[in-house]
């Protein structure tokens, strides 16, 4: 099991551990949750450290599970665990993986802390909800969180909505749901739905990827082209080259980013020609992409898609040298009334 705390307790944390041990092991079940909440409210930092140290000290899995169940009867333990600044992302992932070995339903317990359809029962701010969704995306496989978290795709905070859309898109294959998300006015949401289809080789996925090429947002269209590259679509390379000549600078930046990540030798000449682009941000993106081609053994190694794109069980996946998608550009192009100039005549595979 991964280390939970990974260090010795301080003097103050030992005092809290003694109080917590009394609440968990001495008090009756009716008094224990209230006592735990009081300890958490008085010393939140020390409370989390003491709880993790106690769990780590139990060598017997049965004793460890009983202690854990006593802690999670009060939601304070998991809520405090998620607070920004307490652990960095890699450390929090290690802790959650360790807790999941104790409790296979940890992901469900965490998901139920998220804002509901009508109220935010635990008062989690958007920053904590984002952290929660990020952790769940890694530690929870399969579709069991869809019903609990599906409503968050309509969250008023666009960051939360888009993060939820990615989590659901990687776990759900439903035409109606995808159609609804593609109608979202939030570009982040549409882009993450496309990202959720990376590596999925089905007629269902291909249809939506080709449709996404017509999106007015550069990140959505760029994610769709990358997905088609992953599926070895013959026209994907031509689409990338044509996007580099788009009249909109944000699309040209995306094309340069794609060329740098895909690192296909045939893109080098296109990038050299674009090095004198009139837009300084496009020139910067082109320069970064060209740096990739100057490195030895460009394209010589391949790695798996990001973990979040491999939860769609039962679908064929592809591999390619890539990195996670860039953040949405601040400039959003105006709505298109016709196809992009780089969009192919064939609109479906």
């Amino acid at each position: 099991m991964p280390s939970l705390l990974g260090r010795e307790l301080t003097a103050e944390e030992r005092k809290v551990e003694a109080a917590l041990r009394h609440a968990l092991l001495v008090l009756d079940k009716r008094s224990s949750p209230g006592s735990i909440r009081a300890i958490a409210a008085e010393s939140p930092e020390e409370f989390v450290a003491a709880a993790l140290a106690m769990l780590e000290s139990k060598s017997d899995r049965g004793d460890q599970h009983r202690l854990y169940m006593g802690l999670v009867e009060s939601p304070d333990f998991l809520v405090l665990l998620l607070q920004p600044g307490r652990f960095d992302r890699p450390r929090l992932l290690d802790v959650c993986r360790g807790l999941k070995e104790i409790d296979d339903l940890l992901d469900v317990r965490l998901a139920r802390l998220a804002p509901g359809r009508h109220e935010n029962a635990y008062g989690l701010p958007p920053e904590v909800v984002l952290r929660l969704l990020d952790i769940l995306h890694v530690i929870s496989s399969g579709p069991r969180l869809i019903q609990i978290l599906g409503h968050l795709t309509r969250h008023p905070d666009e960051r939360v909505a888009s993060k939820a859309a990615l989590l659901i898109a990687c776990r759900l294959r439903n035409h109606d749901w995808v159609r609804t998300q593609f109608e979202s006015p939030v570009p982040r949401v549409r882009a993450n739905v496309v990202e959720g289809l990376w590596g999925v080789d089905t007629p269902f996925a291909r249809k939506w990827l080709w449709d996404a090429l017509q999106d007015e947002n550069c990140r959505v269209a760029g994610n769709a082209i990358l997905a088609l590259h992953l599926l070895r679509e013959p026209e994907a390379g031509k689409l990338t080259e044509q996007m580099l000549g788009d009249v909109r600078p944000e699309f040209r930046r995306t094309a340069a980013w794609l060329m740098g990540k895909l690192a296909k030798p045939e893109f080098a000449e296109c990038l050299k020609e674009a090095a004198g682009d009139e837009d300084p941000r496009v020139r910067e993106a082109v320069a970064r992409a060209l740096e990739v081609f100057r490195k030895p053994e460009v394209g010589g190694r391949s790695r798996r898609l990001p973990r979040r794109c491999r939860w769609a069980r039962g679908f064929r996946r592809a591999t390619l040298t890539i990195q996670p998608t860039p953040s949405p550009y601040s400039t959003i192009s105006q709505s298109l009334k016709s196809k992009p100039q780089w969009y192919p005549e064939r609109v479906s595979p």
Side-chain angles (χ1 to χ4, degrees):
M1 183 177 76
S3 173
L4 295 179
L5 185 60
R7 62 174 177 81
E8 295 293 324
L9 293 175
T10 66
E12 287 300 315
E13 289 168 348
R14 289 191 182 281
K15 292 178 182 178
V16 173
E17 182 192 29
L20 188 56
R21 192 178 299 277
H22 177 80
L24 288 166
L25 305 178
V26 178
L27 297 180
D28 60 68
K29 289 186 177 181
R30 286 188 298 179
S31 304
S32 180
S35 181
I36 293 172
R37 283 194 295 271
I39 297 170
E42 184 177 348
S43 308
E45 294 282 347
E46 293 80 5
F47 169 79
V48 172
L52 293 176
M54 288 178 66
L55 287 169
E56 201 166 31
S57 69
K58 297 293 183 182
S59 57
D60 180 79
R61 185 52 61 90
D63 291 343
Q64 196 176 53
H65 187 264
R66 282 189 289 274
L67 179 61
Y68 169 85
M69 293 305 295
L71 284 168
V72 296
E73 278 188 29
S74 170
D76 300 81
F77 172 59
L78 296 179
V79 170
L80 290 172
L81 194 67
L82 294 168
Q83 297 304 309
R86 180 149 290 120
F87 297 110
D88 61 20
R89 183 179 184 272
R91 186 76 189 101
L92 181 58
L93 281 171
D94 283 344
V95 170
C96 289
R97 288 187 180 111
L99 293 177
K100 202 166 189 303
E101 290 187 17
I102 302 172
D103 176 22
D104 187 55
L105 291 176
L106 174 69
D107 54 340
V108 176
R109 296 182 196 278
L110 287 171
R112 286 174 176 162
L113 299 177
R117 286 176 171 80
H118 306 295
E119 63 174 346
N120 187 356
Y122 299 101
L124 300 186
E127 289 71 20
V128 176
V129 180
L130 287 169
R131 193 169 171 84
L132 169 63
L133 292 173
D134 180 44
I135 296 300
L136 288 175
H137 200 25
V138 176
I139 69 169
S140 180
S141 60
R144 68 181 179 183
L145 299 185
I146 291 174
Q147 292 296 326
I148 304 175
L149 300 174
H151 64 281
L152 291 180
T153 59
R154 300 184 298 276
H155 194 277
D157 189 298
E158 292 184 2
R159 299 169 302 165
V160 173
S162 63
K163 183 73 75 172
L166 177 59
L167 185 149
I168 302 299
C170 287
R171 293 161 172 81
L172 182 65
R173 298 290 173 261
N174 181 283
H175 280 278
D176 292 337
W177 184 86
V178 173
R179 183 184 299 108
T180 299
Q181 303 313 311
F182 271 10
E183 293 172 355
S184 170
V186 182
R188 289 171 179 253
V189 169
R190 302 195 304 274
N192 278 358
V193 170
V194 175
E195 185 173 335
L197 297 174
W198 281 357
V200 180
D201 189 2
T202 66
F204 163 88
R206 286 178 180 268
K207 177 213 180 303
W208 290 111
L209 293 175
W210 284 91
D211 286 352
L213 293 176
Q214 300 181 80
D215 198 277
E216 65 188 39
N217 180 262
C218 58
R219 186 183 171 202
V220 179
N223 277 358
I225 291 180
L226 194 152
L228 291 172
H229 272 287
L230 293 173
L231 299 180
R232 297 177 176 84
E233 169 59 47
E235 294 188 38
K238 182 181 177 182
L239 289 174
T240 310
E241 293 176 7
Q242 291 177 341
M243 183 186 269
L244 191 61
D246 195 279
V247 295
R248 296 157 295 178
E250 63 271 22
F251 276 74
R252 300 200 298 275
R253 291 200 304 273
T254 298
W257 174 82
L258 277 169
M259 289 181 174
K261 296 308 174 186
L262 296 167
K264 290 191 172 185
E266 58 265 33
F267 291 152
E269 194 61 36
C270 297
L271 287 167
K272 290 177 183 177
E273 292 177 5
D277 194 280
E278 61 184 22
D279 188 287
R281 290 177 294 179
V282 175
R283 293 198 300 270
E284 182 181 349
V286 169
R288 286 197 299 268
L290 284 171
E291 281 297 318
V292 176
F293 287 88
R294 296 190 183 101
K295 295 177 182 178
E297 298 182 4
V298 167
R301 293 195 304 170
S302 176
R303 74 172 178 85
R304 287 186 180 274
L305 282 165
R307 185 178 181 87
R308 59 176 177 251
C309 300
R310 303 204 305 274
W311 289 131
R313 296 180 177 181
F315 296 93
R316 191 170 76 187
R317 295 123 175 119
T319 60
L320 194 65
T321 304
I322 63 170
Q323 295 290 340
T325 51
S327 299
Y329 290 100
S330 56
T331 305
I332 303 301
S333 60
Q334 296 181 346
S335 298
L336 299 176
K337 295 184 179 179
S338 60
K339 296 177 185 176
Q341 64 179 39
W342 46 268
Y343 191 76
E345 289 302 317
R346 185 171 71 87
V347 296
S348 61

